[in-house]
Amino acid sequence: ADADVDGDADGDIDAELDNTSCDDINSGAVFCSGFELSTLGDWEGRTSASGGSVEWSGASPYRGVGNLHVAATAGMSRGEIAYDMAAPVSSGSVYMRFYTFVGPTAISHQLDAFSLISLASPSQGIFLRLRPTNTTLRLAAGTTIDSLASADIPRNRWVCVQVGVTIGASGSISLAFDEVEVVRETGIDTRVSTGYLRMNVGIVSSSTTNTSGELRYDEVVLDDAPIPCD
């Protein structure tokens, strides 16, 4: 298999077992989706779009038969899919892992490509912010910071993205690409009003000056323990 389309081509054991890690190594996770259902039934069909689009696609998944394709065509447009945990989380840790494909011209100005939020107003939580030349992990909680990643998110190939938050008055956040850590902030207040509840995957928001944006997602996992790349 071609590594940049179907996953690892170097004999990765899990990739050869089946179409998705959700059936084996991540079967016990709080939530896992390999986008193998064209109905997006494992997400309960919870898609949302405004000036953009979000849809299942069988074209060039990371592994398996499907992936999520999202696009924004003008400023402030978005397209996303959401998963709500069984109850808000106000202590302990939450970890997310997903694969995303960012094309070479996918970002014209700025967009948020992922979030883990509370349902408080205004929105509080963690956001993966992509710009043409850099990536930041934004925390809008007890502490509000934009942590510049030490390396930009790779373009024009599937990349494994790992996000973690330890919740507390002296908590931490982290971001890694292909298991190489690019952000770690410690000793910060990561608590949010009403607790972390909703994970959004896709173009969650985009700036008023954005002219385009197109991303793909596959193998999304949420759990209370760190999640390795395949």
Side-chain angles (χ1 to χ4, degrees):
D2 188 340
D4 65 352
V5 173
D6 299 313
D8 291 340
D10 58 0
D12 178 87
I13 295 174
D14 182 62
E16 295 178 356
L17 286 175
D18 49 39
N19 286 340
T20 173
S21 67
C22 299
D23 292 340
D24 41 78
I25 61 172
N26 290 314
S27 61
V30 172
F31 177 76
C32 186
S33 175
F35 297 104
E36 299 304 290
L37 301 176
S38 61
T39 60
L40 300 175
D42 47 346
W43 294 82
E44 299 179 347
R46 295 188 56 193
T47 60
S48 175
S50 175
S53 63
V54 52
E55 60 186 358
W56 182 89
S57 172
S60 303
Y62 168 70
R63 65 186 282 186
V65 300
N67 66 127
L68 188 73
H69 176 259
V70 298
T73 57
M76 298 294 288
S77 61
R78 60 180 178 81
E80 61 189 305
I81 194 166
Y83 168 76
D84 284 359
M85 290 181 276
V89 179
S90 298
S91 61
S93 298
V94 182
Y95 297 90
M96 289 73 54
R97 190 220 65 188
F98 57 91
Y99 284 81
T100 189
F101 190 105
V102 182
T105 58
I107 308 158
S108 61
H109 187 251
Q110 175 179 293
L111 59 84
D112 289 341
F114 166 87
S115 66
L116 178 71
I117 61 172
S118 72
L119 297 188
S121 181
S123 181
Q124 294 183 315
I126 300 169
F127 305 83
L128 179 63
R129 181 157 292 179
L130 309 184
R131 299 185 180 94
T133 59
N134 62 62
T135 302
T136 61
L137 189 62
R138 177 175 177 80
L139 173 68
T143 301
T144 298
I145 57 173
D146 286 287
S147 295
L148 181 66
S150 60
D152 193 14
I153 192 167
R155 303 293 207 275
N156 211 31
R157 68 170 179 86
W158 285 104
V159 56
C160 175
V161 179
Q162 297 158 295
V163 180
V165 55
T166 298
I167 305 164
S170 183
S172 64
I173 58 173
S174 62
L175 171 68
F177 300 142
D178 294 327
E179 298 189 328
V180 177
E181 192 169 82
V182 294
V183 168
R184 174 163 291 276
E185 297 282 355
T186 60
I188 56 176
D189 190 351
T190 57
R191 297 170 297 179
V192 295
S193 299
T194 72
Y196 291 92
L197 179 67
R198 179 169 296 170
M199 175 177 67
N200 295 296
V201 174
I203 298 177
V204 178
S205 66
S206 60
S207 68
T208 57
T209 54
N210 249 26
T211 57
S212 64
E214 186 173 1
L215 304 172
R216 292 183 180 273
Y217 297 84
D218 207 350
E219 293 293 306
V220 178
V221 187
L222 180 146
D223 207 359
D224 56 8
I227 308 153
C229 298
D230 291 347

